[in-house]
Amino acid sequence: MQIFKDLAISENGLVFNPQNGDSFKTNQIGIEILRLLQKNTDSEDIINILINRYDEERNTIEKDFFDFINCLNRYQLINENKSF
């Protein structure tokens, strides 16, 4: 899974796609996921990192992670098969 490489992520959670001018806001965990994706961290590793950092069950972390990934897909910020 690859994320758009020129994606701008502010410390307060504003995410800007310079390719099309779209922007949206995310929380601290969303920022963390986006930064890990920018480092080409795979999904399983991201889920394990989140499980170790936050006091939450694996099923909840996985569901929230994949919900966020689906949101990124809707915004056309990631691609499952190729890099941007």
Side-chain angles (χ1 to χ4, degrees):
M1 168 182 341
Q2 295 287 318
I3 192 164
F4 182 61
K5 292 180 182 183
D6 292 334
L7 193 66
I9 308 164
S10 73
E11 292 301 316
N12 65 354
L14 183 63
V15 181
F16 176 71
N17 182 350
Q19 184 177 10
N20 61 15
D22 288 345
S23 63
F24 67 96
K25 186 142 172 86
T26 190
N27 62 22
Q28 279 305 121
I29 297 172
I31 294 169
E32 189 172 357
I33 292 169
L34 288 168
R35 293 195 192 281
L36 288 166
L37 288 171
Q38 285 181 321
K39 294 178 184 176
N40 294 319
T41 308
D42 69 31
S43 297
E44 188 61 30
D45 288 341
I46 293 172
I47 290 168
N48 287 327
I49 289 167
L50 296 174
I51 289 170
N52 289 327
R53 284 204 181 124
Y54 302 99
D55 186 25
E56 193 58 65
E57 293 182 18
R58 180 176 194 84
N59 289 341
T60 301
I61 295 281
E62 285 179 345
K63 180 191 175 305
D64 291 347
F65 172 78
F66 288 111
D67 285 348
F68 187 70
I69 295 301
N70 286 333
C71 178
L72 295 177
N73 273 322
R74 280 193 304 270
Y75 279 101
Q76 300 177 347
L77 298 174
I78 61 171
N79 187 307
E80 298 288 337
N81 301 316
K82 65 179 180 178
S83 61
F84 290 93

